[in-house]
Amino acid sequence: MNIEASKESAAMVVTVTGRLDAVTFSGYEQKINALIAEGETKFVIDLEKLEYISSAGLRALLATAKRIKAKSGQILLANISGPVKEVFDLSGFGTIFQLYDSVESALEIVAG
Amino acid sequence: MIKIKQLSKKFGALVVLKDISIEIKAGEVISIIGPSGTGKSTFLRCINLLDQPSGGSIQIDGVNILDPKTDVPKIRQKMNMVFQSFNLFAHLSVMDNLTLGPIKLQKKSIKDAEQKSMELLRLVGLAEKANNFPDELSGGQKQRVAIARCMAMEPEIILFDEPTSALDPTMVSEVLAVIRRLAKEGMTMLIVTHEMDFARDVSNRVLYMDEGGIYEDGPPERIFVNPQREKTKAFINRIRNLNYHIASPDYDLYAMNAEIELFCEKQVLPVKMRQNLLLVVEEMLQLYNPLLSTISLDITIAYSEKKESLELVFDSLGEEVNLFEQNELPDEFGLNIIKNLAENIEYQRLNNTNRLSLILKKHEK
């Protein structure tokens, strides 16, 4: 798994590439926690290049979302498709988050 | 064509073959399968007397080749053998490898022998290599030359002793293609092989060898799909099953995934099925995770080609516990994934073993 974070005007865009599973979920959490510790509160998570997600990955998304919301922050998920979307649907996770078709549309919501 | 009665072979006190009786008809393509050490190669070598049987009789076209009065070299010319290690003459060119037998043993003219050999080299796709030496050829090319050399003696029967076992996987198909062609042309063949898909595809009869003899004998659709006897079933299941043992919570998920992917590739499973399988296995392991520091887990993934289904079985020793009825999960995500991708989810308590089994739902094509 690879994580890249870039600061856009409205939020921190975090691009996750590869797998978010029982092995890699902690790396995702550490990255987000580090950004929260730096004072970031608004996040758009770009999952376009995510190839695989399991419940461990979903749990990591949820855990970091709770931390962000505890700081009165916002977290939006963008570009869910293919096998990742299927896992969201199968697990019931899709109803927990608002999902956006693109990073741009998510950033508009954050900026709004 | 070949009648074998009560064939036996011992090496000192070691009984390798005992009481084998079988008839082989012209045109039959027979694959011989079974675990290592069950006498498959010895059986072939006894048929063409590379190993002298300890007992019994072998008749080829009515002639008992074990009778001391029999002209064995003449009878043996009816049969030829292709070996795992090719056994080409390194000091002779490809053409000379092929023409040696016909010239020396069949007294053919050099011209006739070379003409026939070129036809055979064209048959196996190696006409351009006629003047090369064996060490200039790849493994697959050497084996094809070996087959052509066999054919040059115009045998009635060809025995193949694991013809692809010494080959790089990339070269296996070129050799199997030649054998398939011979089968189509009606050559009688006995093939000891570990290539199960090939055996199933090319043979009209399969012998499963075990316990020193022919344990089960039948058409490939029966032996591979519906074996009747226990050891045949266990052997066929082993090649259709993946077994994986997890001994601690620090298991290597990616190493396990690599084995699962290899298994899926061997079974030629669709991509979607593989993806679902990997996900369900990971989710099941997440359910077991809290227990893995105290128990070990045996996973069996079994593919049924007939039903196009994958069954997963998770066995663990210990106190009675059905993980699907545990209420201590942090959330429902993993369970939801499993329940949506699998069906026939069952828990059984078998002696001291907790068994969870499930079948992957068929995906839409």
Side-chain angles (χ1 to χ4, degrees), chain B residues 81 107 147 175 227:
Chain B
M81 191 151 169
K107 310 297 180 196
I147 294 172
V175 173

Side-chain angles (χ1 to χ4, degrees), chain A residues 19-24 52-56 58-59 62 83 86-87 89-93 96, chain B residues 251 253-254 257 261 272 275-276 278-280 282-283 286 330-334 336-337 340-341:
Chain A
R19 294 172 57 97
L20 199 50
D21 58 24
V23 173
T24 59
Y52 174 97
I53 191 165
S54 64
S55 65
L58 298 175
R59 234 163 262 124
L62 191 59
E86 285 180 39
V87 173
D89 294 338
L90 290 172
S91 61
F93 196 76
I96 297 175
Chain B
Y251 64 91
L253 175 67
Y254 293 164
N257 281 359
E261 298 224 26
K272 192 74 197 132
Q275 287 172 346
N276 289 349
L278 288 166
L279 184 56
V280 168
E282 184 183 335
E283 296 305 340
Q286 286 296 295
D331 52 57
E332 295 281 304
F333 301 138
N336 286 347
I337 290 171
N340 277 310
L341 289 180

Side-chain angles (χ1 to χ4, degrees), chain B residues 194-254:
Chain B
H194 292 292
E195 298 283 343
M196 296 301 151
D197 289 334
F198 168 75
R200 193 168 159 178
D201 190 33
V202 83
S203 332
N204 40 41
R205 191 173 168 193
V206 176
L207 308 180
Y208 170 73
M209 287 193 69
D210 209 328
E211 294 183 354
I214 297 169
Y215 185 85
E216 194 166 345
D217 175 355
E221 51 275 15
R222 179 155 66 76
I223 298 288
F224 285 107
V225 179
N226 193 23
Q228 300 297 297
R229 298 189 65 192
E230 281 315 303
K231 285 192 173 180
T232 327
K233 285 181 189 175
F235 180 77
I236 298 296
N237 280 341
R238 269 204 300 283
I239 55 174
R240 291 288 180 209
N241 289 0
L242 171 68
N243 298 298
Y244 202 84
H245 182 72
I246 303 249
S248 86
D250 298 324
Y251 64 91
D252 187 337
L253 175 67
Y254 293 164

Side-chain angles (χ1 to χ4, degrees), chain A residues 27-40 43 67:
Chain A
Y28 169 82
E29 288 189 7
Q30 280 169 21
K31 181 70 179 181
I32 301 295
N33 290 344
L35 290 168
I36 295 170
E38 287 169 14
E40 299 297 334
F43 293 84
R67 266 182 226 115

Side-chain angles (χ1 to χ4, degrees), chain A residues 8-11 42 44 74 76 103-112:
Chain A
E8 303 293 324
S9 53
K42 295 188 190 234
V44 171
Q74 251 182 312
L76 288 74
V103 169
E104 291 70 30
S105 53
L107 284 170
E108 278 177 23
I109 299 296
V110 174

